[in-house]
Amino acid sequence: MLKRLLPSRWARIVAWTGAAVAWGTSVVAVQAATEEAATPAPEPVDQPLAEVQEVPPPVAGVPEAPAAGLIIVRYTPVPPPPPEVITRTITVGGGSGGGGTTSAAGGGGDRPTINDVVVSSGS
């Protein structure tokens, strides 16, 4: 496959691609210019102004941009909250005491049951 893509063929592919992109760009630019010229400016309507709502002040931690220069923002991570204590209670039912085995389908009293549902915080 690479044998068929000689340098002259690459040059033709790049040239045609460039021509297609330039043609598409010019079409979009002409359409945008004609739409802009064709749309009339909206006329102002005499309506009473709605009540002006006060804008809340910016957050205290956000610095204002200076006229010139850079703003250096420092990030101080907050320590993670302490881990949540999860209590799990398991009650084992009374067995036969013989040490025998029970089948999974037969149930049996030796299986533990969870009294409280464990809720994880998602670590």
Side-chain angles (χ1 to χ4, degrees):
M1 169 105 178
L2 291 176
K3 293 179 184 178
R4 298 180 70 193
L5 295 176
L6 300 173
S8 62
R9 189 163 185 178
W10 276 108
R12 286 186 300 198
I13 291 171
V14 169
W16 279 107
T17 303
V21 169
W23 177 80
T25 304
S26 65
V27 168
V28 170
V30 167
Q31 285 181 350
T34 55
E35 286 179 8
E36 185 177 297
T39 47
E43 296 180 17
V45 179
D46 293 332
Q47 292 182 353
L49 294 175
E51 288 186 23
V52 177
Q53 297 178 356
E54 282 191 35
V55 177
V59 179
V62 178
E64 292 189 27
L70 298 173
I71 295 179
I72 297 176
V73 179
R74 295 178 187 219
Y75 171 71
T76 306
V78 178
E84 182 181 334
V85 177
I86 299 174
T87 304
R88 182 176 179 188
T89 305
I90 299 178
T91 305
V92 179
S96 62
T101 60
T102 59
S103 66
D110 293 338
R111 293 181 169 233
T113 59
I114 298 176
N115 292 339
D116 297 329
V117 176
V118 178
V119 178
S120 173
S121 63
S123 55

